[in-house]
Amino acid sequence: MKTIATYSFLPWLRQGVANTIASADGDPAVKTRATIDVSLQLSGDPVASGNPELLQPISQQVQLYSPGDIIGIDSRAIVRLEPRNWVTNFESNYLPGIDFYDEDFAWRYTPAAPDGSRLHLRPWIALIVLTEKEFTDGKMTADRPLPFITVPDATVFPPADQLWAWSHVHFNQSLGANPSELISPDMGAVLPRVQSILGQNPDFAYSRILCPRRLDDNTGYHAFLVPVFETGRLAGLGLKPDTAPNATFSGWGTYGGKPEPSNYPFYYRWYFSTGDHGDFEYLVSLLKPQPVDKRVGTRDMDVLDPGSNIPGITDPDLGGILKLGGALRVPDADLNDADRAERKKYEDWDQPYPHKFQVALAKFINLQDDYSNQTAAAANTASGIGPGIDDDPDPIITSPLYGRWHALTQRLLFKPDGTAVDNTANWVHRLNLDPGFRVPAAFGTDVVESNAEEYMNDAWEQIGDVLAANARIRRLILAKEISWRWHAQSLLPLSTFNAERALMWTAPVSRRVLMGTTTVPALARTSLVPPVYTSAIMRRVIRPGARLMSSLPFTPEITRQNLLTRVNQGDVSPAPPREVSPEVPTVDEIAQASEPTGVPQGILDLLAKYPWLPYAILVIALVVAVVLFVLVPGSLAVSLAIAAVGVGLFFLLKKWEYADAPSLGILPANQTPEYVTKLPKNPTFVLSDPSSAVHSSPGASDSPTSLRFKTALRDSYSLLTTTRPVSVQPEPVALNFKSLTSTMMTAVDPQLTIPRRGLALINIPDWIRILIGDDFGEVMAYPKIDLPMYEPLKGISAELFLPNINLIPPNSITLIETNQKFIEAYMVGLNHEFARKLLWREYPTDQRGSYFRQFWDVRGYFNFDNLPPDQLKERLYDIPELHKWLLTSLLGQHNNRQPAGKTGEQAVLVIRGELLKKYPTAVIYAHHAQWARNPDNSIDLTQPRSLQDIDDAFEEHPPQNVVRMPLYEAKVDPDIYFFGFDLTVDEAKGGSGKNPNDDPGWFFVIKQRPGEPRFGLELTRPTLQAEVFDEVTWDDATAGIKPGQFLQAGSLGAVTLVKPPANEDKQAQWQDDTTVDTALASAARWAYLLFRAPVMVAVHADEMLGNGS
Amino acid sequence: MVLHPVGALNVSQRAVPLDLTLDKFGNQQPNDANRFSIDVASGGLAKVQTLQEQFAPAQFRNMDDASKLSQPAYVPMDSGISLASSGHVYASGTAITRNVRYDLTVIDTKFRRTFRRFFNYTGSLFFHLLAGASVARSGLSTFRKNQTQPYSDKVKVGPATYTVATQADNRAHSPGAIGFTSQAAAQDYLTRQVAIDPSLAGTLHVLSQFEVAS
């Protein structure tokens, strides 16, 4: 499935605050400007809690600028005129139009909201076309903001209430949800797409105004962009806009007391005329191959008197001239022998090299270097150039040495001692010592000089806030150096000599320092030296000179400087350890007191430690008894005795264990709910004072008091068990002072902290960081201007770009070739001068950048290899970076686009024709042809070749063997185009077709530029009834409509389209058109209806290039 | 008051910083309200941006001498709001889409030629060729801007910003605790957080953004 190109139209578009305008078109209450309500609310939190919030509504009516405030538009806002200014063969069935860059421009100042259907909104400007008889130019223009015309009869203006129909927004992408959706009324879905397309590339949409007037044949017309509303008309004439009846009253309506009723100011005007034979195909057919005139590309340059006391070039052979070239030249192959010899003579004018002129020029240029080594008078005398310089005691202004910074070359031909420098024939020498290349370099300096403001502006914009950043960086560097001095001289020695003191010093910033993932105070909090030791008060108290410290006795071990160390070692503690008074009974004492009497303490301890001990003894005794009984015959009695002793011991130990349980239960480690169950039962237990004489004895059951007491005990032990682990304080640890001090010293090292702080506030992009490295220093950068630089050269004069350009015949196609030496010389001149300019304007850069590398316009290049944008750009530059040009290389050997190993100039197709005057943006590229074949696969020469089909797989990215876009292009107004194609003439022409394997060659496809549709209606049609909108005629819209009359917005509301035969390409178009026919009348529907299918003409290279070169 | 239709309306003042609890106003105590904010009440406008002006924090917050000396005298603080239309930036009516088919004439040698109406030509080349259209050649175009401004990133000098961080590890307390343009605003945020959750008392502090642990 082929993707199909689409345009989408919107009937109007508004953005921003203007969307809140609520007043209707024609609202008499709106006098000059639309207003919007702004309601704000100021709220204040109450001081006293509980009070209500304080609220204060604020309302204000805000007016919006309206046409009455507009007294001119920037002509840059206009991107296209249809037809172009002074086109004299515009087809009379088409509508003139004007496109604006901003997609909302046509409705921006309209002081009204769209109508209820939201399909109609009148623009604030209208396009009118008038014949010369219908108006006169206004004479009294003094004190008037805009020029004006006088139109006595207002019927030549389009109906004011229908103007909504003739202005629309054009999108170069579909706004539909899918390819089959042609009408998209759901604005909730459409507007996000609008926003997305404009966010992606604002060039994809623009607004357009058409003039719905039926034009006459062979008539001159003046087109004017005029204000629609009376307020705009009055403001344009310098009158008060508030005298208009209301803000949306028509500028050509009538009312009582209308001032200057026939005068109409205009924002923009141009001229065109209608004529026959203006259609695309006819104009293509006029193009014919022609041989190129040999004079194209050179002109004579007088070299007899170069000035500055430098001798002229007076060789008799040369006739006092040299040949100055241009960016292109006639190929050698197109010259006869005599012409070639003549060209060679002028190319080799300086043989034997160096010519005396070059020697003098080199000495003259070298003077600027001489002045740095000796006095001006001495340097002038030593130069030996001749009188006028030799005897001048003052420095003189010398000529520039182009490329001196890029090539790091300060002298030509001679070193200061007079011996020869190396590489005297390299590009620097050729460029600087041959007038044929010095002059193009000077063109470069001239271009930079005349456009300096623009280029400098671009350069500053690219780099951003560099001045503020550098000012800040300089201050930070100063701060860094001062702080570093203090850090290195005072703090670092202190940290070595007395880490504790250094730690005290840096304590105020410690909360900002991390050790690992924890801050220093957080770490100190778990140590023996909590932050309180380094707090401000503590520091004050223990500083060496403090009163307390002076009055304390110190010893060699206990000094003024080691308090923290001793605290850290545990030698010093802020409070003595807690001690229990001997009179207070402790838990341990009570437990001991309640132990059973008469039982050895060692056994009780063993039982407490190993509760399994009784069982172990029982088991061992039984096992020993059984083993003895089995192994030793007759030992029954002994075995039984051992068993009995075991059982006896078991019961005894269990009894003691039981008796010891209460005393163990008191110990903190045993205060668990489980332990309560182990407590002995006591039937006589009562609660009593410890000093009372009440005693109870264990028994088989618990008394009710005992049960309640045990429950209470269990609960309180549960609480203890839960809270104990939470309340455990980790044992404070000693700090590692050495690593802590080292961390603190690093953390306050100004070599690290100041750059860190500085760079956190300054964003330095990667492309600059690559240049300056990681060092903390001032930002430097090379700006880059990728504009095609042939344009400003051509802007000075097309003759500088290509001498004798006017000798290219009209309606011709020719082949010439590039002149790489000229292009290189010019580009060096540009870069050299811009380097000087950057220095002069204090741009932070050295002077070795290659700011301009693009000579040709490469917008047409198709990215066949899918290169990333940066690599693509690099490939398309015309020259490599200047500082990489080898000093051994020659001028003309630096073609960045040329594949490695290839030399020679590249062929350029030149087209001059009426076609390009009328369609100045027409597309030209090459498309491979395919033969028509007979059933036996032989070539059918009776049928024309056709455009080779593109495989579906390559549909999105056509391969280079099917489509070739121009590598580069250039245009000289009004009608000359240059294209560089990667095709030889033979390849393009292809074979004869007599052999089945002959290559069919290439078509050159010339077509209307996408994004530039044309609008109109037909005069006649081949069929009786229209099958598609493209066949609708003016008479269909209004029967018998005459030239000068207007298309009515209400006409063609429903168009009857007859279904075309099934085998025609028209079917798909008919399907689309019948769908859109059902849409409600709007400017978008009108744009669709008036759209004329664009034209493409494929001409085979064999036809186009003929038998010429 | 007159506004440009595509412009935005800025409402700003220099009397009192907004969204900051005021301890004082010059030498006086506020007695009814001590923290102000501005919002859009109604209509088709919505806030798109917070505006800032330079304020002297010591005029509005109780600060000790050390803080006054260690902080800049004037810092940017919230002063108002910028208003633009609410909802979509754009408004329009029903869109209509046109498929672009070409009238193709093929001219071969020896007067052989064909003509096709409504020929569907490759869409990808169509987009590529838009780069040469009048609009892309305009001085205002994005295409030209890309030629004169090839870098998307520039040198920028940003204002100092502050973060409310946890004292234990210097990490931002929460995603909302970063990007304050003044220490006073950060301190205000800290105070409010502690008021909401008293257990945070003594665990937070204000740091310069570059000192916050990542």
Side-chain angles (χ1 to χ4, degrees), chain A residues 510-533:
Chain A
S510 63
R511 70 190 181 90
R512 289 151 63 186
V513 178
L514 286 172
M515 258 195 96
T517 56
T518 318
T519 57
V520 171
L523 197 68
R525 225 163 266 135
T526 62
S527 74
L528 286 163
V529 195
V532 68
Y533 282 102

mmCIF file of all heavy atoms in Angstrom, chain A residues 510-533:
data_model
loop_
_atom_site.group_PDB
_atom_site.id
_atom_site.type_symbol
_atom_site.label_atom_id
_atom_site.label_comp_id
_atom_site.label_asym_id
_atom_site.label_seq_id
_atom_site.Cartn_x
_atom_site.Cartn_y
_atom_site.Cartn_z
ATOM 1 N N SER A 510 29.870 20.501 58.816
ATOM 2 C CA SER A 510 29.867 19.043 58.781
ATOM 3 C C SER A 510 28.528 18.453 58.362
ATOM 4 O O SER A 510 28.475 17.397 57.758
ATOM 5 C CB SER A 510 30.265 18.496 60.153
ATOM 6 O OG SER A 510 29.292 18.891 61.100
ATOM 7 N N ARG A 511 27.444 19.156 58.640
ATOM 8 C CA ARG A 511 26.139 18.594 58.271
ATOM 9 C C ARG A 511 25.959 18.527 56.749
ATOM 10 O O ARG A 511 25.065 17.867 56.248
ATOM 11 C CB ARG A 511 25.005 19.398 58.914
ATOM 12 C CG ARG A 511 24.838 20.763 58.347
ATOM 13 C CD ARG A 511 23.874 21.617 59.142
ATOM 14 N NE ARG A 511 23.737 22.926 58.515
ATOM 15 C CZ ARG A 511 22.838 23.208 57.599
ATOM 16 N NH1 ARG A 511 21.991 22.290 57.223
ATOM 17 N NH2 ARG A 511 22.783 24.400 57.064
ATOM 18 N N ARG A 512 26.805 19.218 56.012
ATOM 19 C CA ARG A 512 26.695 19.170 54.556
ATOM 20 C C ARG A 512 27.647 18.143 53.949
ATOM 21 O O ARG A 512 27.742 18.022 52.730
ATOM 22 C CB ARG A 512 26.989 20.558 53.977
ATOM 23 C CG ARG A 512 25.855 21.533 54.282
ATOM 24 C CD ARG A 512 26.309 22.959 54.396
ATOM 25 N NE ARG A 512 26.859 23.468 53.161
ATOM 26 C CZ ARG A 512 27.426 24.664 53.057
ATOM 27 N NH1 ARG A 512 27.486 25.465 54.115
ATOM 28 N NH2 ARG A 512 27.904 25.068 51.901
ATOM 29 N N VAL A 513 28.363 17.420 54.810
ATOM 30 C CA VAL A 513 29.383 16.487 54.299
ATOM 31 C C VAL A 513 28.929 15.050 54.527
ATOM 32 O O VAL A 513 28.449 14.706 55.610
ATOM 33 C CB VAL A 513 30.717 16.745 55.018
ATOM 34 C CG1 VAL A 513 31.766 15.748 54.532
ATOM 35 C CG2 VAL A 513 31.170 18.169 54.776
ATOM 36 N N LEU A 514 29.109 14.256 53.505
ATOM 37 C CA LEU A 514 28.725 12.847 53.593
ATOM 38 C C LEU A 514 29.961 11.989 53.806
ATOM 39 O O LEU A 514 31.004 12.212 53.187
ATOM 40 C CB LEU A 514 28.049 12.412 52.295
ATOM 41 C CG LEU A 514 26.636 12.914 52.051
ATOM 42 C CD1 LEU A 514 26.219 12.552 50.644
ATOM 43 C CD2 LEU A 514 25.663 12.299 53.046
ATOM 44 N N MET A 515 29.816 11.008 54.704
ATOM 45 C CA MET A 515 30.837 9.957 54.783
ATOM 46 C C MET A 515 30.142 8.699 54.343
ATOM 47 O O MET A 515 29.296 8.171 55.056
ATOM 48 C CB MET A 515 31.339 9.808 56.215
ATOM 49 C CG MET A 515 32.674 10.471 56.394
ATOM 50 S SD MET A 515 33.504 9.980 57.884
ATOM 51 C CE MET A 515 34.583 8.701 57.315
ATOM 52 N N GLY A 516 30.490 8.243 53.186
ATOM 53 C CA GLY A 516 29.710 7.146 52.614
ATOM 54 C C GLY A 516 28.339 7.691 52.267
ATOM 55 O O GLY A 516 28.237 8.639 51.503
ATOM 56 N N THR A 517 27.309 7.102 52.850
ATOM 57 C CA THR A 517 25.960 7.586 52.552
ATOM 58 C C THR A 517 25.372 8.346 53.729
ATOM 59 O O THR A 517 24.202 8.703 53.704
ATOM 60 C CB THR A 517 25.038 6.394 52.229
ATOM 61 O OG1 THR A 517 25.089 5.499 53.328
ATOM 62 C CG2 THR A 517 25.470 5.684 50.971
ATOM 63 N N THR A 518 26.152 8.577 54.775
ATOM 64 C CA THR A 518 25.631 9.210 55.984
ATOM 65 C C THR A 518 26.327 10.541 56.200
ATOM 66 O O THR A 518 27.518 10.664 55.927
ATOM 67 C CB THR A 518 25.918 8.297 57.199
ATOM 68 O OG1 THR A 518 25.663 6.972 56.817
ATOM 69 C CG2 THR A 518 25.065 8.680 58.374
ATOM 70 N N THR A 519 25.603 11.488 56.725
ATOM 71 C CA THR A 519 26.245 12.767 57.016
ATOM 72 C C THR A 519 27.127 12.610 58.253
ATOM 73 O O THR A 519 26.908 11.720 59.082
ATOM 74 C CB THR A 519 25.215 13.872 57.266
ATOM 75 O OG1 THR A 519 24.365 13.462 58.330
ATOM 76 C CG2 THR A 519 24.390 14.157 56.034
ATOM 77 N N VAL A 520 28.092 13.507 58.386
ATOM 78 C CA VAL A 520 29.041 13.407 59.494
ATOM 79 C C VAL A 520 28.331 13.519 60.849
ATOM 80 O O VAL A 520 28.573 12.697 61.739
ATOM 81 C CB VAL A 520 30.161 14.452 59.322
ATOM 82 C CG1 VAL A 520 31.033 14.527 60.564
ATOM 83 C CG2 VAL A 520 31.006 14.092 58.110
ATOM 84 N N PRO A 521 27.408 14.470 61.068
ATOM 85 C CA PRO A 521 26.745 14.521 62.379
ATOM 86 C C PRO A 521 25.941 13.254 62.667
ATOM 87 O O PRO A 521 25.912 12.790 63.812
ATOM 88 C CB PRO A 521 25.814 15.733 62.280
ATOM 89 C CG PRO A 521 26.371 16.554 61.184
ATOM 90 C CD PRO A 521 27.011 15.614 60.233
ATOM 91 N N ALA A 522 25.320 12.676 61.622
ATOM 92 C CA ALA A 522 24.537 11.459 61.850
ATOM 93 C C ALA A 522 25.452 10.334 62.304
ATOM 94 O O ALA A 522 25.091 9.509 63.149
ATOM 95 C CB ALA A 522 23.794 11.070 60.581
ATOM 96 N N LEU A 523 26.661 10.315 61.723
ATOM 97 C CA LEU A 523 27.632 9.304 62.104
ATOM 98 C C LEU A 523 28.097 9.548 63.552
ATOM 99 O O LEU A 523 28.216 8.615 64.348
ATOM 100 C CB LEU A 523 28.821 9.393 61.153
ATOM 101 C CG LEU A 523 29.759 8.212 61.113
ATOM 102 C CD1 LEU A 523 29.070 7.011 60.498
ATOM 103 C CD2 LEU A 523 30.990 8.572 60.297
ATOM 104 N N ALA A 524 28.353 10.838 63.869
ATOM 105 C CA ALA A 524 28.866 11.187 65.201
ATOM 106 C C ALA A 524 27.846 10.843 66.284
ATOM 107 O O ALA A 524 28.199 10.486 67.405
ATOM 108 C CB ALA A 524 29.209 12.666 65.250
ATOM 109 N N ARG A 525 26.574 10.925 65.909
ATOM 110 C CA ARG A 525 25.523 10.689 66.894
ATOM 111 C C ARG A 525 25.592 9.264 67.451
ATOM 112 O O ARG A 525 25.176 9.015 68.562
ATOM 113 C CB ARG A 525 24.161 10.942 66.222
ATOM 114 C CG ARG A 525 23.226 11.753 67.087
ATOM 115 C CD ARG A 525 22.096 12.344 66.295
ATOM 116 N NE ARG A 525 22.421 13.693 65.862
ATOM 117 C CZ ARG A 525 22.228 14.167 64.663
ATOM 118 N NH1 ARG A 525 21.713 13.398 63.738
ATOM 119 N NH2 ARG A 525 22.562 15.397 64.359
ATOM 120 N N THR A 526 26.094 8.321 66.697
ATOM 121 C CA THR A 526 26.180 6.927 67.171
ATOM 122 C C THR A 526 27.560 6.620 67.741
ATOM 123 O O THR A 526 27.885 5.464 67.967
ATOM 124 C CB THR A 526 25.910 5.963 66.000
ATOM 125 O OG1 THR A 526 26.924 6.184 65.013
ATOM 126 C CG2 THR A 526 24.546 6.177 65.402
ATOM 127 N N SER A 527 28.353 7.636 67.920
ATOM 128 C CA SER A 527 29.726 7.399 68.365
ATOM 129 C C SER A 527 29.920 7.895 69.790
ATOM 130 O O SER A 527 29.005 8.431 70.419
ATOM 131 C CB SER A 527 30.691 8.110 67.438
ATOM 132 O OG SER A 527 30.634 9.500 67.712
ATOM 133 N N LEU A 528 31.151 7.743 70.243
ATOM 134 C CA LEU A 528 31.501 8.232 71.582
ATOM 135 C C LEU A 528 31.623 9.753 71.584
ATOM 136 O O LEU A 528 31.713 10.370 72.633
ATOM 137 C CB LEU A 528 32.839 7.610 72.017
ATOM 138 C CG LEU A 528 32.754 6.126 72.412
ATOM 139 C CD1 LEU A 528 34.134 5.513 72.409
ATOM 140 C CD2 LEU A 528 32.108 5.989 73.769
ATOM 141 N N VAL A 529 31.675 10.356 70.356
ATOM 142 C CA VAL A 529 31.841 11.805 70.274
ATOM 143 C C VAL A 529 30.627 12.404 69.572
ATOM 144 O O VAL A 529 30.697 12.750 68.397
ATOM 145 C CB VAL A 529 33.126 12.159 69.488
ATOM 146 C CG1 VAL A 529 33.502 13.607 69.712
ATOM 147 C CG2 VAL A 529 34.261 11.255 69.906
ATOM 148 N N PRO A 530 29.501 12.493 70.240
ATOM 149 C CA PRO A 530 28.316 13.035 69.573
ATOM 150 C C PRO A 530 28.519 14.512 69.189
ATOM 151 O O PRO A 530 29.436 15.155 69.709
ATOM 152 C CB PRO A 530 27.210 12.857 70.603
ATOM 153 C CG PRO A 530 27.892 12.719 71.903
ATOM 154 C CD PRO A 530 29.226 12.135 71.634
ATOM 155 N N PRO A 531 27.648 15.031 68.279
ATOM 156 C CA PRO A 531 27.879 16.368 67.738
ATOM 157 C C PRO A 531 27.979 17.453 68.804
ATOM 158 O O PRO A 531 28.545 18.503 68.537
ATOM 159 C CB PRO A 531 26.663 16.609 66.841
ATOM 160 C CG PRO A 531 26.160 15.267 66.503
ATOM 161 C CD PRO A 531 26.485 14.382 67.656
ATOM 162 N N VAL A 532 27.483 17.198 70.002
ATOM 163 C CA VAL A 532 27.523 18.248 71.016
ATOM 164 C C VAL A 532 28.960 18.645 71.329
ATOM 165 O O VAL A 532 29.245 19.783 71.686
ATOM 166 C CB VAL A 532 26.751 17.784 72.278
ATOM 167 C CG1 VAL A 532 27.495 16.646 72.973
ATOM 168 C CG2 VAL A 532 26.517 18.920 73.236
ATOM 169 N N TYR A 533 29.909 17.726 71.142
ATOM 170 C CA TYR A 533 31.314 18.059 71.431
ATOM 171 C C TYR A 533 31.863 19.079 70.447
ATOM 172 O O TYR A 533 32.877 19.717 70.728
ATOM 173 C CB TYR A 533 32.182 16.796 71.374
ATOM 174 C CG TYR A 533 32.053 15.940 72.604
ATOM 175 C CD1 TYR A 533 31.281 14.797 72.603
ATOM 176 C CD2 TYR A 533 32.697 16.307 73.785
ATOM 177 C CE1 TYR A 533 31.153 14.018 73.725
ATOM 178 C CE2 TYR A 533 32.563 15.537 74.920
ATOM 179 C CZ TYR A 533 31.793 14.393 74.882
ATOM 180 O OH TYR A 533 31.669 13.639 76.014
#
